[in-house]
């Protein structure tokens, strides 16, 4: 019997792919850094049976309509806002993601951004590099305390809870907001469920960890930033379009909030000309929430294992619906 034809939209390490070669006829975009072009993605998906996609690959109506043999999209991310899931379902195309394996790693990055922003670590680094460290001074590069402050987590899911556990280690007071309450998080972590507005008003650190959906698009807008304390920081490790970047920039310039730590942006990649990068109160990273070697390898294997399960008729490891 012919092996199922798989297209992988980015070059993954041979050592990861090798064990799967006996199961699939694998084709792979040859670049690790550069994303697959839209033309090639459309052309390959029109003939393959399985796609292994990255978060920047749009699996939309155009692609789905012309992919007559496609029966599964294994997205190498926990977020799947790049895939039109209802349409895929309608076309009997399964969609999988990579939950759990990246939870702790992404929480580490979220907390790193929070700490780096509060304690002005990048400014401090730059300060020495620019030869400005001539004396010690009582108020030189003073930042904000983290311990015993209030963190407000919007999107208390897997990663949100992992961030809350870190916050507890710093003796922080933990508030959270979701559409539904999580009694186990309240009991285990001591997190307090509050309304979105209360969270904005009370938190010293507002951390966004919701998925990007129609409901969460631009959730953090002018009004939201206005409700935050002028000493508070905004940390976003979810998806860029959950925030209005212009409103965020204005809120920082107008001193309505103290700063931001951002791993995600509405239109990625951003370049050095992005207005938020010009603000000393903002620390940015290039969507590296899950970027440790251990975790990325697990995400690759989980995506490939989902493909194996699908084509062997076994239950999927992590279907999105
Ligand atoms: P998860 O377990 O599904 O958690 C998401 C949480 O958001 C849920 O608790 C959900 O609770 C809440 N939520 C959903 N819609 C909401 C809304 N409208 N208002 C308030 N809360 C809402 O997902 P996860 O594994 O923690 O991942 C969260 C997101 O992080 C992913 O979707 C992805 O976009 C992002 N992420 C980014 C990186 C990175 O590299 N920066 C890495 C991994 C993940 P309710 O359903 O009760 O509302």
């Amino acid at each position: 019997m012919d092996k199922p034809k798989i297209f992988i939209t980015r070059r993954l390490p041979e050592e990861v792919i090798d064990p799967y070669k006996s199961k699939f006829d694998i084709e792979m975009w040859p670049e690790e850094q550069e994303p697959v072009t839209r033309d090639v993605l459309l052309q390959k998906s029109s003939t393959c049976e399985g796609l292994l996609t990255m978060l920047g690959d749009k699996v939309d109506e155009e692609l789905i309509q012309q992919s007559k043999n496609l029966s599964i999209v294994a997205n190498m991310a926990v977020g799947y806002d790049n895939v039109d899931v209802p349409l895929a379902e309608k076309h009997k195309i399964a969609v999988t993601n990579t939950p759990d394996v990246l939870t702790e790693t992404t929480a580490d990055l979220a907390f790193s951004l929070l700490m780096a922003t509060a304690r002005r670590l990048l400014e401090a680094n730059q300060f020495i590099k620019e030869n400005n460290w001539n004396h010690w001074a009582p108020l030189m590069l003073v930042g904000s305390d983290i311990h015993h402050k209030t963190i407000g987590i919007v999107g208390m899911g897997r990663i949100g809870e992992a961030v809350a556990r870190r916050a507890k280690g710093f003796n922080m007071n933990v508030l959270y907001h979701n559409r539904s309450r999580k009694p186990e998080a309240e009991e285990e972590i001591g997190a307090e469920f509050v309304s979105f507005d209360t969270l904005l008003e009370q938190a010293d650190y507002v951390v966004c960890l919701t998925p990007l959906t129609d409901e969460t698009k631009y959730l953090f807008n002018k009004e939201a930033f206005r409700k935050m304390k002028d000493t508070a920081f905004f940390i976003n490790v979810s998806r860029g379009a959950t925030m209005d970047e212009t409103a965020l920039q204005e809120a920082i310039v107008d001193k309505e909030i103290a700063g931001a730590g951002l791993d995600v942006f509405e239109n990625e990649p951003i370049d050095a000309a992005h207005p938020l990068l010009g603000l000393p109160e903002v620390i940015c990273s290039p969507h590296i929430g899950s970027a440790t070697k251990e975790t990325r390898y697990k995400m690759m294997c989980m995506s490939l294992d989902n493909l194996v399960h699908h084509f062997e008729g076994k239950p999927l490891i992590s279907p999105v619906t």
Side-chain angles (χ1 to χ4, degrees), residues 2 6 10 12 15 19 21 29 38 70 78 119 136 153 193-194 201 213 215 227 247 250 264 281 284 286 295:
D2 283 349
I6 301 296
R10 204 63 73 91
L12 304 184
E15 60 185 314
K21 285 187 175 161
W29 175 247
R38 181 73 182 166
L70 189 64
V78 67
R119 296 303 303 270
W136 181 91
I153 299 170
F193 179 82
V194 290
E201 285 158 15
T213 62
E215 249 183 305
K227 284 176 187 150
E250 286 169 2
V264 287
E281 302 89 342
C284 300
T295 291

Side-chain angles (χ1 to χ4, degrees), residues 127-144:
F127 184 77
I128 303 177
K129 284 188 170 175
E130 289 173 358
N131 261 335
N132 292 325
W133 191 16
N134 303 318
H135 310 281
W136 181 91
L139 292 176
M140 186 179 90
L141 286 163
V142 289
S144 301

Side-chain angles (χ1 to χ4, degrees), residues 17 30 36 54 57 59 61 63 104 110 123 136 170 172 182 190 195 197 212 245 257 297:
I17 298 299
V36 63
M54 309 296 130
D57 303 325
V59 180
E61 185 170 4
L63 185 149
E104 299 294 333
E123 278 180 84
W136 181 91
F170 281 72
M172 295 180 91
K182 297 197 90 178
S195 69
D197 281 359
L212 174 62
E245 288 172 14
I257 70 170
Y297 271 53

Side-chain angles (χ1 to χ4, degrees), residues 264-303:
V264 287
F265 302 87
E266 183 165 9
N267 296 306
E268 297 177 357
I270 61 166
D271 62 23
H274 193 290
L276 283 166
L277 282 178
L279 303 177
E281 302 89 342
V282 178
I283 290 184
C284 300
S285 52
H287 205 143
I288 55 166
S290 63
T292 63
K293 191 173 176 191
E294 300 95 314
T295 291
R296 285 287 162 83
Y297 271 53
K298 285 181 193 158
M299 291 164 69
M300 293 171 197
C301 289
M302 189 170 193
S303 306

